């Protein structure tokens, strides 16, 4: 049994990456403020609220789908089933997509443009640190079924 079969990550990094991204955005705004035009502030706040709500719905739907399929939600645990239903029909990483949308939505709602920048950085870091290892884990566990799933479903959107 190879190391990828054991577990994909030693530690669940993605929630910490996105938490750090939000914290960094607020620190950057405090020390290097980016001005936001005062016109149509309510549109930005409404769009941010919609993004955050979309992210919550997506995350809850993805987690519920994983639980219904009797596999783990935690990225540092071994997957027992290949899940291709629910939001996983549209994206291979709906939870991480939800984190990214929530981070950008918080930025819009709080009028902090740095959140959008840090959301993109967090998505890149999550891709490099977590998603690549998770995909190797799933490939070693589910082989051709996972390859077929990857060919028909995009990684992010």
């Amino acid at each position: 049994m190879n190391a990828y079969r054991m577990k994909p990550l030693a530690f669940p990094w993605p929630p910490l990456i996105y938490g750090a991204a939000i914290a960094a955005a607020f620190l950057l705004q405090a020390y290097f403020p980016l001005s936001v035009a005062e016109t149509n502030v309510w549109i930005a706040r409404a769009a941010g609220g919609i993004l955050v709500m979309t992210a919550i719905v997506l995350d809850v739907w993805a987690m519920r789908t994983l639980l219904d399929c009797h596999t783990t939600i935690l990225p540092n645990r071994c997957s027992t089933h290949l899940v291709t239903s629910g939001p996983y029909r549209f994206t291979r990483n709906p939870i991480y997509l939800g984190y990214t949308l929530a981070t950008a939505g918080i930025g819009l709602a709080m009028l902090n443009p740095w959140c959008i920048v840090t959301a993109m950085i967090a998505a890149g870091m999550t891709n490099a640190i977590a998603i690549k290892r998770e995909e190797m884990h799933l490939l070693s566990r589910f082989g051709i079924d996972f390859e077929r799933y990857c060919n028909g479903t995009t990684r992010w959107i």
Side-chain angles (χ1 to χ4, degrees), residues 13-81:
W13 290 107
L16 292 178
I17 291 170
Y18 283 94
I22 293 169
F26 282 99
L27 283 173
L28 285 166
Q29 186 65 13
Y31 290 105
F32 306 102
L34 294 177
S35 61
V36 178
E38 292 299 318
T39 59
N40 300 327
V41 167
W42 65 273
I43 292 175
R45 291 186 190 269
I50 290 169
L51 273 180
V52 170
M53 291 306 298
T54 302
I56 291 169
V57 168
L58 183 61
D59 279 352
V60 169
W61 185 23
M63 289 180 201
R64 184 68 193 166
T65 302
L66 291 173
L67 290 173
D68 288 346
C69 292
H70 306 288
T71 193
T72 184
I73 293 173
L74 299 174
N76 62 325
R77 300 276 196 248
C78 186
S79 295
T80 56
H81 296 88

Side-chain angles (χ1 to χ4, degrees), residues 44-134:
R45 291 186 190 269
I50 290 169
L51 273 180
V52 170
M53 291 306 298
T54 302
I56 291 169
V57 168
L58 183 61
D59 279 352
V60 169
W61 185 23
M63 289 180 201
R64 184 68 193 166
T65 302
L66 291 173
L67 290 173
D68 288 346
C69 292
H70 306 288
T71 193
T72 184
I73 293 173
L74 299 174
N76 62 325
R77 300 276 196 248
C78 186
S79 295
T80 56
H81 296 88
L82 179 62
V83 179
T84 60
S85 60
Y88 294 91
R89 289 176 296 184
F90 310 109
T91 174
R92 295 195 310 254
N93 298 288
I95 295 173
Y96 301 152
L97 178 59
Y99 290 170
T100 306
L101 292 175
T103 304
I106 289 168
L108 285 171
M110 302 294 289
L111 304 176
N112 183 344
W114 285 111
C115 281
I116 296 168
V117 173
T118 60
M120 290 186 287
I121 293 169
M125 288 179 64
T126 298
N127 194 57
I129 293 170
I131 292 174
K132 300 284 185 175
R133 286 192 51 94
E134 289 174 7

Side-chain angles (χ1 to χ4, degrees), residues 82 92 135 138-139 142-150:
L82 179 62
R92 295 195 310 254
E135 288 184 349
L138 293 170
L139 181 62
F142 305 110
I144 191 78
D145 291 334
F146 181 68
E147 283 185 39
R148 207 173 295 125
Y149 171 63
C150 288

